[in-house]
Amino acid sequence: MRLEFIDLKAQYRSLKDEIDGRIQKVLDHGQFILGPEVWELETRLEAYTGAPHCITVASGTEALLISLMAMGVGRGDEVITSPFSFIAAAEMIALLGATPVFVDVERDTCNLDPNKLEAAVTPKTKAIIPVSLYGQTCDMDEINAIAARHGVTVIEDAAQSFGATYRGRRSCNLSSIACTSFFPSKPLGCYGDGGALFTSDDKLATIMRQIRVHGQERRYFHSRIGVGGRMDTLQCAIVLAKLDSFDWEVERRLQIGDEYLRLLQGAEGIALPVVRPDRTSVWGQFTVQAENRPLLESKLRSAEIPLAVHYPLPLHCQPAYEGLCRRVGSMENAERLAQRVLSLPMHPFLDPETQNKIVEAVRGGQRG
Ligand SMILES: *Cc1c(COP(=O)(O)O)cnc(C)c1O
């Protein structure tokens, strides 16, 4: 059987009855937009994260866009974020005419370095978007404290970290606003595009709900400019079907991550991912750093182990952003990581035998 990078088919097999049942219910009631499952999911996710408000939206990217629009971010503003991430946060900042300001990441966690953050804040700074990369949050207390000193909003990009904890609290409930994604391969995924916004601020929640539906205050009365940003009922139903076993899945992710760390300890030429003691990673990706990535890649390919590189080119080097972004200080860690990172298969259904096969290929991979 083919080894999967993320085995969504195994997950479907184990949850078939719940998922099929939930889908059938939507087909029967026919409320495909803003149907009962949408509100049910929002309530469940508020309870899960502890965040007072959850607003489901069309994707993680849409969540970032809506949160920036709610903050009134536009031309002349700056938003600080990570240069070593998926493009979405920087992209939505630039789309609104604001400037993405990049601060380098930590070499071990690959997350935004709070020690370098304050130097990047200017009177134009409107928000900071720390990305909880690979399933582990940044040092959110430190980042919130810096933001508070300067009256800046923190928006957690939690697309890879739903289910992770930081000092006993859950990702998505660690800052004024958080954005997550239900893209199929994320820790909690649907079967298409989907995402959610979280906030503790009642006023912001109302604004974001309005932006989600064309800035409507009431039907056909538009008090602000918005987007068509709803998550559809079927996708919400699918997330609901997966939610009952999500605690089990997170537990499995933690175990499989620990097992990778144990089995790969001391592997030559490989630096293992680092999780700070005050938090957990849901291993949105299990990403190692290889001294010689091309060699490791070719060994994994010949053992038919699927792999991915998250991410091969830092964001300040992307052609579309030339002249549109600002860097504060050196981006040396981001640039170094882009040359070295490699993600291994990671999902709750990875069995010990398969994991051993992957580990063997990695261990053999650096010897040539
Ligand atoms: C996946 C991802 C997004 C975007 O989510 P979509 O639902 O695909 O729009 C944003 N940020 C990060 C860090 C991601 O991994």
Side-chain angles (χ1 to χ4, degrees), residues 36-49:
E37 283 78 4
V38 177
W39 313 106
E40 185 183 349
L41 179 61
E42 290 177 351
T43 306
R44 291 279 303 272
L45 296 181
E46 285 161 3
Y48 181 84
T49 57

PDB file of all heavy atoms in Angstrom, residues 36-49:
ATOM      1  N   PRO A  36     -27.947  25.376  10.074  1.00  0.00           N
ATOM      2  CA  PRO A  36     -27.773  25.145  11.519  1.00  0.00           C
ATOM      3  C   PRO A  36     -26.378  24.626  11.897  1.00  0.00           C
ATOM      4  O   PRO A  36     -25.876  24.939  12.975  1.00  0.00           O
ATOM      5  CB  PRO A  36     -28.851  24.105  11.854  1.00  0.00           C
ATOM      6  CG  PRO A  36     -29.374  23.598  10.550  1.00  0.00           C
ATOM      7  CD  PRO A  36     -29.105  24.647   9.525  1.00  0.00           C
ATOM      8  N   GLU A  37     -25.736  23.857  10.999  1.00  0.00           N
ATOM      9  CA  GLU A  37     -24.409  23.321  11.321  1.00  0.00           C
ATOM     10  C   GLU A  37     -23.373  24.425  11.485  1.00  0.00           C
ATOM     11  O   GLU A  37     -22.382  24.261  12.187  1.00  0.00           O
ATOM     12  CB  GLU A  37     -23.957  22.325  10.241  1.00  0.00           C
ATOM     13  CG  GLU A  37     -24.627  20.955  10.331  1.00  0.00           C
ATOM     14  CD  GLU A  37     -26.041  20.944   9.764  1.00  0.00           C
ATOM     15  OE1 GLU A  37     -26.492  21.982   9.218  1.00  0.00           O
ATOM     16  OE2 GLU A  37     -26.703  19.888   9.870  1.00  0.00           O
ATOM     17  N   VAL A  38     -23.572  25.549  10.791  1.00  0.00           N
ATOM     18  CA  VAL A  38     -22.626  26.658  10.892  1.00  0.00           C
ATOM     19  C   VAL A  38     -22.608  27.189  12.328  1.00  0.00           C
ATOM     20  O   VAL A  38     -21.559  27.335  12.953  1.00  0.00           O
ATOM     21  CB  VAL A  38     -22.981  27.794   9.903  1.00  0.00           C
ATOM     22  CG1 VAL A  38     -22.037  28.970  10.065  1.00  0.00           C
ATOM     23  CG2 VAL A  38     -22.956  27.259   8.462  1.00  0.00           C
ATOM     24  N   TRP A  39     -23.802  27.420  12.862  1.00  0.00           N
ATOM     25  CA  TRP A  39     -23.896  27.967  14.232  1.00  0.00           C
ATOM     26  C   TRP A  39     -23.476  26.914  15.249  1.00  0.00           C
ATOM     27  O   TRP A  39     -22.832  27.234  16.245  1.00  0.00           O
ATOM     28  CB  TRP A  39     -25.328  28.465  14.505  1.00  0.00           C
ATOM     29  CG  TRP A  39     -25.825  29.292  13.354  1.00  0.00           C
ATOM     30  CD1 TRP A  39     -26.743  28.923  12.409  1.00  0.00           C
ATOM     31  CD2 TRP A  39     -25.382  30.614  12.977  1.00  0.00           C
ATOM     32  NE1 TRP A  39     -26.906  29.935  11.477  1.00  0.00           N
ATOM     33  CE2 TRP A  39     -26.096  30.974  11.798  1.00  0.00           C
ATOM     34  CE3 TRP A  39     -24.467  31.513  13.525  1.00  0.00           C
ATOM     35  CZ2 TRP A  39     -25.911  32.200  11.158  1.00  0.00           C
ATOM     36  CZ3 TRP A  39     -24.281  32.739  12.889  1.00  0.00           C
ATOM     37  CH2 TRP A  39     -25.000  33.065  11.730  1.00  0.00           C
ATOM     38  N   GLU A  40     -23.839  25.663  14.979  1.00  0.00           N
ATOM     39  CA  GLU A  40     -23.449  24.585  15.897  1.00  0.00           C
ATOM     40  C   GLU A  40     -21.925  24.487  15.980  1.00  0.00           C
ATOM     41  O   GLU A  40     -21.351  24.389  17.069  1.00  0.00           O
ATOM     42  CB  GLU A  40     -24.047  23.247  15.415  1.00  0.00           C
ATOM     43  CG  GLU A  40     -23.784  22.101  16.376  1.00  0.00           C
ATOM     44  CD  GLU A  40     -24.306  20.750  15.868  1.00  0.00           C
ATOM     45  OE1 GLU A  40     -25.060  20.710  14.868  1.00  0.00           O
ATOM     46  OE2 GLU A  40     -23.936  19.729  16.486  1.00  0.00           O
ATOM     47  N   LEU A  41     -21.273  24.557  14.811  1.00  0.00           N
ATOM     48  CA  LEU A  41     -19.807  24.459  14.805  1.00  0.00           C
ATOM     49  C   LEU A  41     -19.180  25.646  15.539  1.00  0.00           C
ATOM     50  O   LEU A  41     -18.243  25.476  16.327  1.00  0.00           O
ATOM     51  CB  LEU A  41     -19.280  24.389  13.367  1.00  0.00           C
ATOM     52  CG  LEU A  41     -17.755  24.320  13.241  1.00  0.00           C
ATOM     53  CD1 LEU A  41     -17.192  23.074  13.936  1.00  0.00           C
ATOM     54  CD2 LEU A  41     -17.313  24.354  11.774  1.00  0.00           C
ATOM     55  N   GLU A  42     -19.709  26.833  15.307  1.00  0.00           N
ATOM     56  CA  GLU A  42     -19.130  28.017  15.961  1.00  0.00           C
ATOM     57  C   GLU A  42     -19.226  27.887  17.489  1.00  0.00           C
ATOM     58  O   GLU A  42     -18.268  28.169  18.204  1.00  0.00           O
ATOM     59  CB  GLU A  42     -19.816  29.298  15.446  1.00  0.00           C
ATOM     60  CG  GLU A  42     -19.433  29.572  13.985  1.00  0.00           C
ATOM     61  CD  GLU A  42     -20.106  30.785  13.361  1.00  0.00           C
ATOM     62  OE1 GLU A  42     -21.026  31.354  13.981  1.00  0.00           O
ATOM     63  OE2 GLU A  42     -19.699  31.154  12.232  1.00  0.00           O
ATOM     64  N   THR A  43     -20.374  27.407  17.958  1.00  0.00           N
ATOM     65  CA  THR A  43     -20.547  27.218  19.407  1.00  0.00           C
ATOM     66  C   THR A  43     -19.575  26.169  19.939  1.00  0.00           C
ATOM     67  O   THR A  43     -18.949  26.351  20.987  1.00  0.00           O
ATOM     68  CB  THR A  43     -22.008  26.802  19.706  1.00  0.00           C
ATOM     69  OG1 THR A  43     -22.872  27.776  19.121  1.00  0.00           O
ATOM     70  CG2 THR A  43     -22.272  26.723  21.191  1.00  0.00           C
ATOM     71  N   ARG A  44     -19.433  25.069  19.193  1.00  0.00           N
ATOM     72  CA  ARG A  44     -18.522  24.006  19.635  1.00  0.00           C
ATOM     73  C   ARG A  44     -17.074  24.486  19.666  1.00  0.00           C
ATOM     74  O   ARG A  44     -16.306  24.133  20.553  1.00  0.00           O
ATOM     75  CB  ARG A  44     -18.624  22.787  18.686  1.00  0.00           C
ATOM     76  CG  ARG A  44     -19.940  22.030  18.764  1.00  0.00           C
ATOM     77  CD  ARG A  44     -20.027  21.054  19.928  1.00  0.00           C
ATOM     78  NE  ARG A  44     -18.972  20.050  19.964  1.00  0.00           N
ATOM     79  CZ  ARG A  44     -19.028  18.883  19.337  1.00  0.00           C
ATOM     80  NH1 ARG A  44     -20.074  18.561  18.610  1.00  0.00           N
ATOM     81  NH2 ARG A  44     -18.027  18.025  19.437  1.00  0.00           N
ATOM     82  N   LEU A  45     -16.696  25.298  18.679  1.00  0.00           N
ATOM     83  CA  LEU A  45     -15.299  25.757  18.625  1.00  0.00           C
ATOM     84  C   LEU A  45     -15.021  26.827  19.685  1.00  0.00           C
ATOM     85  O   LEU A  45     -13.899  26.921  20.187  1.00  0.00           O
ATOM     86  CB  LEU A  45     -14.954  26.277  17.221  1.00  0.00           C
ATOM     87  CG  LEU A  45     -15.017  25.231  16.098  1.00  0.00           C
ATOM     88  CD1 LEU A  45     -14.627  25.852  14.766  1.00  0.00           C
ATOM     89  CD2 LEU A  45     -14.116  24.030  16.392  1.00  0.00           C
ATOM     90  N   GLU A  46     -16.044  27.601  20.043  1.00  0.00           N
ATOM     91  CA  GLU A  46     -15.887  28.545  21.162  1.00  0.00           C
ATOM     92  C   GLU A  46     -15.620  27.748  22.437  1.00  0.00           C
ATOM     93  O   GLU A  46     -14.712  28.074  23.212  1.00  0.00           O
ATOM     94  CB  GLU A  46     -17.159  29.403  21.323  1.00  0.00           C
ATOM     95  CG  GLU A  46     -17.280  30.482  20.255  1.00  0.00           C
ATOM     96  CD  GLU A  46     -18.698  31.040  20.103  1.00  0.00           C
ATOM     97  OE1 GLU A  46     -19.604  30.631  20.879  1.00  0.00           O
ATOM     98  OE2 GLU A  46     -18.894  31.883  19.201  1.00  0.00           O
ATOM     99  N   ALA A  47     -16.397  26.685  22.636  1.00  0.00           N
ATOM    100  CA  ALA A  47     -16.215  25.866  23.840  1.00  0.00           C
ATOM    101  C   ALA A  47     -14.834  25.200  23.824  1.00  0.00           C
ATOM    102  O   ALA A  47     -14.145  25.147  24.841  1.00  0.00           O
ATOM    103  CB  ALA A  47     -17.313  24.807  23.926  1.00  0.00           C
ATOM    104  N   TYR A  48     -14.417  24.717  22.675  1.00  0.00           N
ATOM    105  CA  TYR A  48     -13.135  23.999  22.595  1.00  0.00           C
ATOM    106  C   TYR A  48     -11.947  24.912  22.875  1.00  0.00           C
ATOM    107  O   TYR A  48     -11.047  24.566  23.632  1.00  0.00           O
ATOM    108  CB  TYR A  48     -12.976  23.338  21.213  1.00  0.00           C
ATOM    109  CG  TYR A  48     -11.686  22.561  21.100  1.00  0.00           C
ATOM    110  CD1 TYR A  48     -11.601  21.243  21.560  1.00  0.00           C
ATOM    111  CD2 TYR A  48     -10.534  23.152  20.576  1.00  0.00           C
ATOM    112  CE1 TYR A  48     -10.409  20.542  21.503  1.00  0.00           C
ATOM    113  CE2 TYR A  48      -9.341  22.455  20.514  1.00  0.00           C
ATOM    114  CZ  TYR A  48      -9.285  21.152  20.976  1.00  0.00           C
ATOM    115  OH  TYR A  48      -8.093  20.469  20.925  1.00  0.00           O
ATOM    116  N   THR A  49     -11.959  26.095  22.248  1.00  0.00           N
ATOM    117  CA  THR A  49     -10.792  26.977  22.390  1.00  0.00           C
ATOM    118  C   THR A  49     -10.872  27.848  23.637  1.00  0.00           C
ATOM    119  O   THR A  49      -9.847  28.306  24.132  1.00  0.00           O
ATOM    120  CB  THR A  49     -10.693  27.949  21.189  1.00  0.00           C
ATOM    121  OG1 THR A  49     -11.915  28.686  21.104  1.00  0.00           O
ATOM    122  CG2 THR A  49     -10.460  27.192  19.888  1.00  0.00           C
TER     123      THR A  49
END
